[in-house]
Amino acid sequence: MSASSTKPVVRISDLHKSFADQVVLDGLNLEVQAGECLGIMGGSGTGKSVALRHVIGLMQPDSGRVEVFGREVAGLSANELRALRRRVGYVFQEGALVGWMTVEDNLALPLRERGKLSEPQIAERVAEALETVHVVGAGQKFPSEISGGMKKRVSIARALITKPELVLYDEPNAGLDPEISRSINALMREVSEKLGVTSLVVEHRVECLRRVADRVLFIHEGKALVNDITASFFQPSHPRLMAFLGHEQE
Ligand SMILES: Nc1ncnc2c1ncn2[C@@H]1O[C@H](COP(=O)(O)OP(=O)(O)OP(=O)(O)O)[C@@H](O)[C@H]1O
Ligand SMILES: [Mg+2]
């Protein structure tokens, strides 16, 4: 864990979360520094999405602290929480595009909600976003008319369109073919490196995290079992992580 004196963008300390008698997070600790890209790995159902939801206050801790931009999320008023969410882009695992809106309108939605830009300014920003994720020409289509890979790209564009300081990606590669995965990975790396955006990427795929993450954390039994810089993470000495990666690479 970094000993940097600057405050981390995200700090989760001793986070516990259960659903009825199912313990999901059992003392999770993690930090993401400004500009850093942290990968989160772990088996299905280990609480990766649950951890992300805490970051934007969609879930409340049973105990422990979640601090984002230096403020404890649980202590925020409704207005402050809204302000925090405006600074964060969220690429949901399910994509979550609005089915009855065109791609362009999906992208414009967060900007219109904010009400700060004129329609011509919004149109310009939407065109720019489509170019960034290489989905030019699909603006007038509906989500059902574009491929899974394009939907993912549009979801990423929507998360980035408000120029967030922090982006949370929940399995951005799920269901994508290797070629599209590679371009999504390149895009995430670009956002992190060129724009200096702090990122948290939940992902199973070794190839993705190798390319994208600066550091990777492995969640097991509700805790961060391994938290390492990317290169050493993939040459693990911990038996549980070795077993997990062994299955991955087959
Ligand atoms: N709102 C909820 N109510 C009850 N149980 C929940 C809720 N949200 C998550 N869970 C449970 O918590 C556990 C962790 O869920 P989570 O979605 O975080 O898994 P995950 O690590 O993201 O898995 P995957 O890799 O499959 O996406 C699961 O057993 C899930 O059923
Ligand atoms: Mg999940």
Side-chain angles (χ1 to χ4, degrees), residues 41 206 210 216-218 225-249:
M41 225 179 202
V206 174
R210 258 193 218 281
V216 190
L217 180 146
F218 180 61
L225 186 68
V226 179
N227 182 351
D228 226 333
I229 56 165
T230 312
S232 19
F233 182 90
F234 289 112
Q235 292 169 353
S237 53
H238 197 289
R240 185 64 200 85
L241 178 56
M242 281 168 82
F244 186 79
L245 293 176
H247 289 303
E248 265 297 310
Q249 283 161 346

Side-chain angles (χ1 to χ4, degrees), residues 103-104 127 130-131 134-141 146 150:
V103 164
E104 276 174 2
L130 286 173
E131 209 174 294
H134 311 291
V135 191
V136 180
Q140 297 295 321
K141 295 193 171 173
I146 59 176
M150 286 165 92

Side-chain angles (χ1 to χ4, degrees), residues 11-18 23-29 50 54 59-67 72 74 222:
R11 176 189 277 149
I12 294 181
S13 321
D14 201 24
L15 176 59
H16 290 256
K17 184 71 180 178
S18 299
V23 177
V24 176
L25 298 177
D26 191 21
L28 179 69
N29 291 297
V50 164
H54 281 83
M59 270 184 188
Q60 306 302 322
D62 293 340
S63 66
R65 287 172 72 85
V66 177
E67 291 158 89
E72 185 173 4

Side-chain angles (χ1 to χ4, degrees), residues 33 80-81 83 109 123 158 181 210 214 217 226 239 241 243 249:
Q33 305 295 333
E80 288 170 330
L81 190 59
L109 187 63
R158 190 183 52 181
S181 283
R210 258 193 218 281
D214 299 307
L217 180 146
V226 179
L241 178 56
Q249 283 161 346

Side-chain angles (χ1 to χ4, degrees), residues 19 22 24 43-50 53 59 93 171 204:
F19 299 101
Q22 182 196 6
V24 176
S44 190
T46 49
K48 303 178 300 296
S49 297
V50 164
R53 283 187 207 120
M59 270 184 188
Q93 195 164 0
E171 300 198 27
H204 291 286

Side-chain angles (χ1 to χ4, degrees), residues 1-9 11 31-36 215:
M1 191 91 24
S2 167
S4 160
S5 59
T6 56
K7 258 196 184 270
V9 173
R11 176 189 277 149
E31 286 189 5
V32 193
Q33 305 295 333
E36 188 181 33
R215 207 154 46 80

Side-chain angles (χ1 to χ4, degrees), residues 104-105 107-129 161:
E104 276 174 2
D105 285 337
L107 291 179
L109 187 63
L111 298 175
R112 290 193 176 124
E113 276 173 359
R114 231 154 273 204
K116 292 225 169 101
L117 299 179
S118 66
E119 279 301 315
Q121 286 170 319
I122 290 177
E124 199 175 310
R125 190 77 84 79
V126 166
E128 197 182 289
I161 200 156

